[in-house]
Protein backbone atom coordinates (compact mmCIF):
# COMPACT_ATOMS: atom_id res chain seq x y z
CA UNK A 1 0.00 0.00 0.00
CA UNK A 2 2.86 2.33 0.93
CA UNK A 3 4.69 1.40 -2.26
CA UNK A 4 1.64 2.29 -4.36
CA UNK A 5 1.32 5.65 -2.62
CA UNK A 6 4.98 6.50 -3.27
CA UNK A 7 4.66 5.72 -6.96
CA UNK A 8 1.55 7.88 -7.21
CA UNK A 9 3.29 10.72 -5.40
CA UNK A 10 6.27 10.57 -7.75
CA UNK A 11 4.04 10.59 -10.85
CA UNK A 12 2.07 13.53 -9.48
CA UNK A 13 5.22 15.57 -8.88
CA UNK A 14 6.49 14.73 -12.35
CA UNK A 15 3.18 15.84 -13.90
CA UNK A 16 3.13 19.08 -11.92
CA UNK A 17 6.73 19.93 -12.84
CA UNK A 18 5.97 19.30 -16.55
CA UNK A 19 2.77 21.33 -16.32
CA UNK A 20 4.64 24.33 -14.92
CA UNK A 21 7.47 24.16 -17.45
CA UNK A 22 7.22 27.23 -19.75
CA UNK A 23 7.97 27.42 -23.48
CA UNK A 24 11.42 28.92 -24.02
CA UNK A 25 13.31 30.17 -27.09
CA UNK A 26 16.41 32.14 -27.99
CA UNK A 27 16.18 35.37 -30.00
CA UNK A 28 16.75 34.99 -33.74
CA UNK A 29 18.98 37.06 -35.98
CA UNK A 30 18.27 37.87 -39.60
CA UNK A 31 16.08 40.00 -41.89
CA UNK A 32 12.97 41.65 -40.45
CA UNK A 33 10.55 43.86 -42.32
CA UNK A 34 7.81 46.22 -41.17
CA UNK A 35 4.78 46.47 -43.41
CA UNK A 36 1.28 47.89 -43.59
CA UNK A 37 -1.53 45.49 -44.49
CA UNK A 38 -4.18 46.43 -47.03
CA UNK A 39 -6.92 44.88 -49.09
CA UNK A 40 -6.38 45.03 -52.87
CA UNK A 41 -8.60 45.43 -55.91
CA UNK A 42 -7.21 45.22 -59.45
CA UNK A 43 -8.47 47.80 -61.96
CA UNK A 44 -7.36 48.81 -65.48
CA UNK A 45 -5.38 52.03 -65.60
CA UNK A 46 -7.23 55.13 -66.91
CA UNK A 47 -10.57 53.42 -66.28
CA UNK A 48 -13.57 55.65 -66.99
CA UNK A 49 -17.28 55.47 -67.76
CA UNK A 50 -18.63 56.94 -71.00
CA UNK A 51 -21.75 59.09 -70.74
CA UNK A 52 -24.00 60.65 -73.35
CA UNK A 53 -24.27 64.44 -73.47
CA UNK A 54 -27.68 64.29 -75.15
CA UNK A 55 -30.87 62.32 -74.74
CA UNK A 56 -32.26 59.92 -77.29
CA UNK A 57 -32.60 56.28 -78.27
CA UNK A 58 -29.57 54.01 -78.53
CA UNK A 59 -29.31 53.18 -82.21
CA UNK A 60 -26.35 50.78 -82.07
CA UNK A 61 -23.49 49.47 -79.98
CA UNK A 62 -20.60 49.76 -82.43
CA UNK A 63 -18.32 47.64 -80.23
CA UNK A 64 -18.68 44.66 -77.94
CA UNK A 65 -17.32 43.95 -74.48
CA UNK A 66 -13.70 42.87 -74.75
CA UNK A 67 -13.05 44.77 -78.01
CA UNK A 68 -9.93 46.90 -78.34
CA UNK A 69 -10.62 50.50 -79.35
CA UNK A 70 -8.53 53.46 -80.48
CA UNK A 71 -8.77 57.03 -79.26
CA UNK A 72 -11.70 58.89 -80.92
CA UNK A 73 -13.11 55.62 -82.33
CA UNK A 74 -16.92 55.54 -82.34
CA UNK A 75 -18.35 53.08 -79.81
CA UNK A 76 -22.07 53.95 -79.60
CA UNK A 77 -24.60 55.80 -81.73
CA UNK A 78 -27.69 57.60 -80.47
CA UNK A 79 -30.73 58.49 -82.58
CA UNK A 80 -32.54 61.82 -82.24
CA UNK A 81 -33.96 63.75 -85.23
CA UNK A 82 -34.26 67.12 -83.47
CA UNK A 83 -30.51 67.92 -83.44
CA UNK A 84 -30.20 67.04 -87.14
CA UNK A 85 -33.06 69.40 -88.05
CA UNK A 86 -31.61 72.12 -85.81
CA UNK A 87 -28.25 71.76 -87.53
CA UNK A 88 -29.86 72.08 -90.97
CA UNK A 89 -31.82 75.17 -89.94
CA UNK A 90 -28.72 76.71 -88.37
CA UNK A 91 -26.78 76.11 -91.59
CA UNK A 92 -29.45 77.89 -93.65
CA UNK A 93 -29.53 80.85 -91.24
CA UNK A 94 -25.74 81.11 -91.32
CA UNK A 95 -25.66 81.05 -95.12
CA UNK A 96 -28.31 83.81 -95.38
CA UNK A 97 -26.47 85.96 -92.84
CA UNK A 98 -23.22 85.63 -94.83
CA UNK A 99 -24.95 86.63 -98.07
CA UNK A 100 -26.53 89.67 -96.45
CA UNK A 101 -23.22 90.73 -94.92
CA UNK A 102 -21.23 90.24 -98.13
CA UNK A 103 -23.67 92.46 -99.99
CA UNK A 104 -25.07 89.80 -102.26
CA UNK A 105 -28.58 90.30 -100.93
CA UNK A 106 -30.81 93.27 -101.70
CA UNK A 107 -30.53 94.93 -98.29
CA UNK A 108 -27.04 96.44 -98.58
CA UNK A 109 -27.39 96.91 -102.36
CA UNK A 110 -30.39 99.17 -101.83
CA UNK A 111 -28.51 101.25 -99.26
CA UNK A 112 -25.52 101.54 -101.59
CA UNK A 113 -27.77 102.74 -104.43
CA UNK A 114 -29.36 105.33 -102.15
CA UNK A 115 -25.90 106.56 -101.09
CA UNK A 116 -24.81 106.85 -104.74
CA UNK A 117 -27.97 108.81 -105.58
CA UNK A 118 -27.53 111.04 -102.54
CA UNK A 119 -23.88 111.64 -103.52
CA UNK A 120 -24.94 112.74 -107.01
CA UNK A 121 -27.60 114.98 -105.58
CA UNK A 122 -25.27 116.66 -103.08
CA UNK A 123 -22.75 117.29 -105.85
CA UNK A 124 -25.43 118.96 -107.95
CA UNK A 125 -26.82 120.94 -105.01
CA UNK A 126 -23.28 121.98 -104.06
CA UNK A 127 -22.66 123.38 -107.56
CA UNK A 128 -25.94 125.27 -107.50
CA UNK A 129 -25.28 126.63 -104.03
CA UNK A 130 -21.77 127.91 -104.71
CA UNK A 131 -22.88 129.38 -108.05
CA UNK A 132 -25.70 131.25 -106.30
CA UNK A 133 -23.31 132.30 -103.56
CA UNK A 134 -20.94 133.85 -106.06
CA UNK A 135 -23.83 135.71 -107.65
CA UNK A 136 -25.04 136.92 -104.29
CA UNK A 137 -21.54 138.16 -103.45
CA UNK A 138 -21.78 140.21 -106.66
CA UNK A 139 -25.22 141.50 -105.56
CA UNK A 140 -26.86 139.47 -108.29
CA UNK A 141 -30.00 137.52 -107.58
CA UNK A 142 -32.38 137.50 -104.61
CA UNK A 143 -31.83 136.52 -101.00
CA UNK A 144 -34.62 133.95 -101.27
CA UNK A 145 -32.85 132.15 -104.14
CA UNK A 146 -29.60 132.13 -102.18
CA UNK A 147 -31.27 130.76 -98.99
CA UNK A 148 -33.16 128.13 -101.00
CA UNK A 149 -29.97 126.85 -102.65
CA UNK A 150 -28.16 126.80 -99.29
CA UNK A 151 -31.00 124.90 -97.56
CA UNK A 152 -31.20 122.38 -100.40
CA UNK A 153 -27.45 121.81 -100.17
CA UNK A 154 -27.61 121.32 -96.36
CA UNK A 155 -30.52 118.87 -96.65
CA UNK A 156 -28.63 116.84 -99.27
CA UNK A 157 -25.54 116.81 -97.06
CA UNK A 158 -27.53 115.59 -94.01
CA UNK A 159 -29.31 112.96 -96.09
CA UNK A 160 -25.97 111.57 -97.33
CA UNK A 161 -24.57 111.45 -93.77
CA UNK A 162 -27.68 109.63 -92.53
CA UNK A 163 -27.50 107.10 -95.35
CA UNK A 164 -23.81 106.38 -94.68
CA UNK A 165 -24.53 106.01 -90.96
CA UNK A 166 -27.45 103.69 -91.70
CA UNK A 167 -25.29 101.64 -94.07
CA UNK A 168 -22.52 101.20 -91.48
CA UNK A 169 -25.01 100.31 -88.73
CA UNK A 170 -26.72 97.80 -91.00
CA UNK A 171 -23.37 96.31 -91.96
CA UNK A 172 -22.40 95.99 -88.28
CA UNK A 173 -25.72 94.36 -87.47
CA UNK A 174 -25.29 91.92 -90.34
CA UNK A 175 -21.75 91.16 -89.18
CA UNK A 176 -23.09 90.39 -85.70
CA UNK A 177 -25.80 88.20 -87.20
CA UNK A 178 -23.13 86.28 -89.13
CA UNK A 179 -21.15 85.62 -85.95
CA UNK A 180 -24.25 84.64 -83.99
CA UNK A 181 -25.54 82.34 -86.70
CA UNK A 182 -22.09 80.79 -87.08
CA UNK A 183 -21.98 80.06 -83.34
CA UNK A 184 -25.45 78.54 -83.47
CA UNK A 185 -24.45 76.44 -86.47
CA UNK A 186 -21.26 75.20 -84.82
CA UNK A 187 -23.14 74.43 -81.61
CA UNK A 188 -25.78 72.50 -83.55
CA UNK A 189 -23.00 70.61 -85.36
CA UNK A 190 -21.37 69.69 -82.03
CA UNK A 191 -24.68 68.47 -80.67
CA UNK A 192 -25.10 66.41 -83.82
CA UNK A 193 -21.65 64.86 -83.29
CA UNK A 194 -22.51 64.20 -79.63
CA UNK A 195 -24.93 61.55 -80.85
CA UNK A 196 -21.91 59.41 -81.62
CA UNK A 197 -19.99 58.47 -78.47
CA UNK A 198 -16.24 57.98 -79.03
CA UNK A 199 -13.49 56.47 -76.92
CA UNK A 200 -11.27 58.96 -75.11
CA UNK A 201 -8.27 56.59 -74.94
CA UNK A 202 -6.59 53.66 -76.65
CA UNK A 203 -7.89 50.75 -74.60
CA UNK A 204 -10.46 48.03 -74.14
CA UNK A 205 -14.24 48.02 -73.71
CA UNK A 206 -14.87 46.34 -70.35
CA UNK A 207 -18.64 46.81 -70.18
CA UNK A 208 -21.66 48.17 -72.07
CA UNK A 209 -24.88 48.93 -70.23
CA UNK A 210 -27.54 49.59 -72.87
CA UNK A 211 -29.06 47.64 -75.74
CA UNK A 212 -30.24 49.16 -79.03
CA UNK A 213 -33.71 50.64 -78.67
CA UNK A 214 -33.31 51.61 -75.03
CA UNK A 215 -33.71 55.19 -73.84
CA UNK A 216 -30.44 57.06 -73.23
CA UNK A 217 -30.02 60.00 -70.85
CA UNK A 218 -27.11 62.02 -69.52
CA UNK A 219 -27.20 60.52 -66.01
CA UNK A 220 -26.49 56.84 -66.72
CA UNK A 221 -23.19 55.44 -68.04
CA UNK A 222 -23.23 53.72 -71.41
CA UNK A 223 -19.87 51.91 -71.31
CA UNK A 224 -16.73 51.36 -69.23
CA UNK A 225 -13.36 51.71 -70.96
CA UNK A 226 -9.83 51.33 -69.60
CA UNK A 227 -6.26 50.48 -70.51
CA UNK A 228 -5.95 47.04 -72.09
CA UNK A 229 -2.51 46.13 -70.74
CA UNK A 230 -1.68 48.35 -67.75
CA UNK A 231 -3.44 47.59 -64.47
CA UNK A 232 -3.40 49.48 -61.19
CA UNK A 233 -3.71 48.09 -57.67
CA UNK A 234 -6.19 50.00 -55.52
CA UNK A 235 -5.39 49.61 -51.82
CA UNK A 236 -7.42 50.86 -48.84
CA UNK A 237 -5.05 51.90 -46.04
CA UNK A 238 -6.25 52.59 -42.49
CA UNK A 239 -5.87 56.18 -41.30
CA UNK A 240 -3.50 55.12 -38.49
CA UNK A 241 -1.05 53.79 -41.11
CA UNK A 242 -1.37 56.30 -43.95
CA UNK A 243 1.41 58.59 -42.60
CA UNK A 244 3.88 55.71 -43.07
CA UNK A 245 3.15 55.35 -46.78
CA UNK A 246 5.39 57.01 -49.36
CA UNK A 247 5.71 56.87 -53.13
CA UNK A 248 8.12 54.24 -54.39
CA UNK A 249 7.68 51.83 -51.46
CA UNK A 250 7.64 48.16 -52.40
CA UNK A 251 4.40 46.21 -52.16
CA UNK A 252 4.01 42.42 -51.88
CA UNK A 253 0.69 41.34 -53.39
CA UNK A 254 -1.26 38.08 -53.30
CA UNK A 255 -4.37 37.61 -55.44
CA UNK A 256 -7.12 35.12 -54.66
CA UNK A 257 -7.15 34.04 -58.30
CA UNK A 258 -3.47 33.02 -58.22
CA UNK A 259 -3.29 30.70 -55.20
CA UNK A 260 -1.33 33.02 -52.92
CA UNK A 261 1.50 33.55 -55.42
CA UNK A 262 3.39 36.72 -54.45
CA UNK A 263 3.71 39.57 -56.95
CA UNK A 264 5.81 42.69 -56.54
CA UNK A 265 4.46 46.21 -57.01
CA UNK A 266 5.43 49.80 -56.19
CA UNK A 267 3.41 52.66 -54.68
CA UNK A 268 2.90 55.45 -57.23
CA UNK A 269 -0.02 57.55 -55.92
CA UNK A 270 -1.54 58.44 -52.55
CA UNK A 271 -4.99 60.08 -52.55
CA UNK A 272 -5.12 62.75 -49.82
CA UNK A 273 -8.87 62.61 -49.19
CA UNK A 274 -10.12 60.21 -46.53
CA UNK A 275 -13.17 58.05 -47.13
CA UNK A 276 -15.40 58.94 -44.18
CA UNK A 277 -17.45 55.76 -44.54
CA UNK A 278 -14.65 53.33 -43.73
CA UNK A 279 -11.98 55.72 -42.40
CA UNK A 280 -9.43 54.70 -45.04
CA UNK A 281 -7.25 56.34 -47.68
CA UNK A 282 -6.84 55.06 -51.24
CA UNK A 283 -3.31 54.20 -52.36
CA UNK A 284 -2.43 53.05 -55.89
CA UNK A 285 0.45 50.85 -56.98
CA UNK A 286 1.73 49.43 -60.27
CA UNK A 287 2.82 45.83 -60.79
CA UNK A 288 6.53 45.20 -61.32
CA UNK A 289 5.79 41.71 -62.64
CA UNK A 290 2.07 41.40 -63.27
CA UNK A 291 0.29 38.11 -64.00
CA UNK A 292 -0.27 37.15 -67.60
CA UNK A 293 -4.05 37.40 -67.28
CA UNK A 294 -5.84 40.06 -65.25
CA UNK A 295 -9.49 41.09 -64.99
CA UNK A 296 -11.04 44.19 -63.44
CA UNK A 297 -12.22 43.56 -59.90
CA UNK A 298 -9.79 40.79 -58.94
CA UNK A 299 -9.19 40.99 -55.19
CA UNK A 300 -6.44 40.04 -52.82
CA UNK A 301 -4.16 41.29 -50.06
CA UNK A 302 -1.07 43.49 -49.96
CA UNK A 303 1.72 44.34 -47.56
CA UNK A 304 3.37 47.71 -48.14
CA UNK A 305 7.00 47.50 -46.97
CA UNK A 306 7.67 50.41 -44.59
CA UNK A 307 11.11 49.40 -43.34
CA UNK A 308 13.54 46.49 -43.69
CA UNK A 309 16.68 45.62 -41.65
CA UNK A 310 19.09 42.74 -42.13
CA UNK A 311 21.08 41.01 -39.37
CA UNK A 312 18.58 42.22 -36.76
CA UNK A 313 17.84 40.55 -33.43
CA UNK A 314 14.15 39.74 -33.18
CA UNK A 315 11.64 37.66 -31.21
CA UNK A 316 8.00 36.65 -31.71
CA UNK A 317 5.55 39.25 -30.42
CA UNK A 318 3.80 36.64 -28.29
CA UNK A 319 6.86 36.58 -25.97
CA UNK A 320 6.44 40.24 -25.04
CA UNK A 321 5.05 41.24 -21.65
CA UNK A 322 3.02 44.47 -21.77
CA UNK A 323 4.79 45.26 -25.04
CA UNK A 324 8.05 46.31 -23.31
CA UNK A 325 9.47 43.42 -21.23
CA UNK A 326 10.44 39.75 -21.59
CA UNK A 327 10.77 36.91 -19.09
CA UNK A 328 14.22 35.31 -18.56
CA UNK A 329 15.86 32.99 -16.05
CA UNK A 330 16.81 36.09 -14.06
CA UNK A 331 13.26 37.46 -14.11
CA UNK A 332 11.65 40.10 -16.29
CA UNK A 333 13.88 42.57 -18.13
CA UNK A 334 12.98 45.69 -20.09
CA UNK A 335 13.79 45.85 -23.78
CA UNK A 336 13.88 48.57 -26.47
CA UNK A 337 11.99 47.73 -29.66
CA UNK A 338 12.79 48.63 -33.24
CA UNK A 339 10.75 47.87 -36.32
CA UNK A 340 7.99 45.28 -36.11
CA UNK A 341 5.40 43.44 -38.12
CA UNK A 342 2.40 41.31 -37.31
CA UNK A 343 4.53 38.39 -36.01
CA UNK A 344 7.95 39.66 -34.95
CA UNK A 345 9.56 42.64 -33.24
CA UNK A 346 13.15 43.84 -33.45
CA UNK A 347 15.12 44.07 -30.20
CA UNK A 348 17.36 47.13 -30.27
CA UNK A 349 18.75 46.73 -26.74
CA UNK A 350 18.14 44.91 -23.45
CA UNK A 351 18.47 41.37 -24.78
CA UNK A 352 21.31 39.20 -26.04
CA UNK A 353 21.19 36.51 -28.69
CA UNK A 354 22.23 33.93 -26.06
CA UNK A 355 19.57 34.93 -23.53
CA UNK A 356 16.76 32.43 -23.23
CA UNK A 357 13.30 33.93 -22.90
CA UNK A 358 10.05 32.38 -21.78
CA UNK A 359 6.58 32.65 -23.21
CA UNK A 360 4.30 34.42 -20.72
CA UNK A 361 1.27 32.56 -19.35
Amino acid sequence: MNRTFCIFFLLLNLHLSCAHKKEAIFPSRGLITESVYSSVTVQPDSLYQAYATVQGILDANLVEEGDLVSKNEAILKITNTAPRLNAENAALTYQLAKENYQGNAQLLKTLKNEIEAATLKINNDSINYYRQKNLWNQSIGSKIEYDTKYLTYQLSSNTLKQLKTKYQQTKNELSTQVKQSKNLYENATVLLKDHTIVSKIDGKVYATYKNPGELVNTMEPLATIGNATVFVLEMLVDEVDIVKIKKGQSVLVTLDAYNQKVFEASVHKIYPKKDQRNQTFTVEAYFKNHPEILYPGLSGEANIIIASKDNSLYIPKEYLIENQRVSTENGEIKIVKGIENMEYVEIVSGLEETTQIYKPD
Side-chain angles (χ1 to χ4, degrees):
M1 187 71 176
N2 290 334
R3 183 182 177 185
T4 303
F5 178 77
C6 289
I7 294 173
F8 174 76
F9 182 76
L10 290 172
L11 291 173
L12 179 62
N13 284 339
L14 180 62
H15 173 75
L16 290 175
S17 87
C18 291
H20 286 85
K21 186 177 181 180
K22 296 182 178 180
E23 295 183 33
I25 63 168
F26 290 96
S28 301
R29 186 171 291 279
L31 176 67
I32 181 172
T33 59
E34 181 180 359
S35 62
V36 169
Y37 171 83
S38 171
S39 60
V40 166
T41 303
V42 177
Q43 294 291 3
D45 194 24
S46 304
L47 188 69
Y48 80 97
Q49 291 184 319
Y51 285 81
T53 58
V54 293
Q55 294 184 345
I57 303 296
L58 182 62
D59 183 53
N61 284 317
L62 305 178
V63 294
E64 295 182 356
E65 294 169 328
D67 285 353
L68 296 177
V69 292
S70 302
K71 185 176 181 180
N72 295 324
E73 180 180 344
I75 57 175
L76 301 113
K77 187 177 181 181
I78 302 169
T79 299
N80 192 330
T81 58
R84 180 176 58 81
L85 296 176
N86 290 338
E88 292 176 358
N89 291 335
L92 294 174
T93 302
Y94 178 43
Q95 183 62 32
L96 179 60
K98 285 196 299 182
E99 291 178 355
N100 288 336
Y101 176 67
Q102 292 168 355
N104 296 328
Q106 191 64 32
L107 184 59
L108 289 180
K109 281 186 177 180
T110 300
L111 289 175
K112 281 184 177 181
N113 292 335
E114 291 179 359
I115 290 174
E116 290 175 359
T119 302
L120 293 175
K121 187 174 187 308
I122 194 175
N123 289 336
N124 183 64
D125 292 340
S126 173
I127 293 172
N128 292 333
Y129 164 66
Y130 283 107
R131 180 184 297 145
Q132 189 64 39
K133 183 179 180 182
N134 290 331
L135 292 175
W136 178 251
N137 291 334
Q138 299 174 24
S139 299
I140 301 173
S142 65
K143 185 70 167 56
I144 294 177
E145 289 179 322
Y146 171 76
D147 290 341
T148 301
K149 296 289 192 246
Y150 175 74
L151 181 60
T152 302
Y153 170 67
Q154 289 296 320
L155 290 175
S156 298
S157 178
N158 291 337
T159 299
L160 181 60
K161 289 179 181 179
Q162 290 175 355
L163 286 173
K164 287 182 177 181
T165 300
K166 183 178 180 181
Y167 177 84
Q168 192 59 46
Q169 289 177 343
T170 303
K171 190 173 183 180
N172 291 338
E173 290 174 359
L174 292 176
S175 175
T176 301
Q177 290 177 8
V178 169
K179 294 177 182 178
Q180 290 176 338
S181 60
K182 182 181 179 181
N183 291 338
L184 291 174
Y185 171 66
E186 290 178 349
N187 184 61
T189 304
V190 170
L191 290 177
L192 191 61
K193 291 180 180 178
D194 284 345
H195 282 70
T196 300
I197 311 302
V198 300
S199 175
K200 301 299 182 183
I201 61 171
D202 295 331
K204 178 186 286 188
V205 179
Y206 286 98
T208 56
Y209 303 109
K210 294 283 187 178
N211 294 317
E214 290 188 281
L215 181 65
V216 171
N217 57 47
T218 59
M219 303 299 293
E220 296 177 324
L222 300 179
T224 296
I225 300 172
N227 197 295
T229 56
V230 180
F231 287 80
V232 65
L233 295 164
E234 293 184 354
M235 301 177 290
L236 300 180
V237 177
D238 193 273
E239 63 176 331
V240 300
D241 296 319
I242 191 62
V243 294
K244 305 174 185 177
I245 309 300
K246 295 180 177 61
K247 288 184 179 181
Q249 289 175 332
S250 295
V251 184
L252 300 179
V253 182
T254 56
L255 298 176
D256 297 339
Y258 280 91
N259 297 323
Q260 302 303 309
K261 182 179 178 181
V262 179
F263 300 94
E264 293 186 23
S266 177
V267 174
H268 86 98
K269 189 173 185 178
I270 303 169
Y271 289 87
K273 182 174 175 57
K274 182 175 73 172
D275 190 330
Q276 297 295 339
R277 296 171 298 177
N278 51 25
Q279 303 298 303
T280 60
F281 289 82
T282 300
V283 177
E284 290 186 353
Y286 282 134
F287 279 109
K288 292 182 180 178
N289 56 331
H290 64 77
E292 183 179 354
I293 300 175
L294 285 174
Y295 291 98
L298 290 181
S299 61
E301 299 177 334
N303 283 286
I304 305 172
I305 307 301
I306 305 303
S308 180
K309 291 179 68 175
D310 202 3
N311 197 31
S312 298
L313 192 67
Y314 62 89
I315 64 172
K317 277 188 170 182
E318 57 189 358
Y319 281 78
L320 287 176
I321 301 173
E322 295 180 353
N323 209 33
Q324 60 181 354
R325 301 191 306 278
V326 293
S327 176
T328 69
E329 292 179 351
N330 299 322
E332 294 183 3
I333 60 175
K334 190 173 182 180
I335 54 92
V336 177
K337 300 187 302 177
I339 65 175
E340 57 185 285
N341 54 38
M342 296 181 66
E343 297 181 2
Y344 300 100
V345 59
E346 179 192 14
I347 305 300
V348 177
S349 64
L351 193 61
E352 299 294 332
E353 191 173 353
T354 57
T355 304
Q356 191 176 41
I357 61 174
Y358 297 99
K359 187 177 182 179
D361 294 331

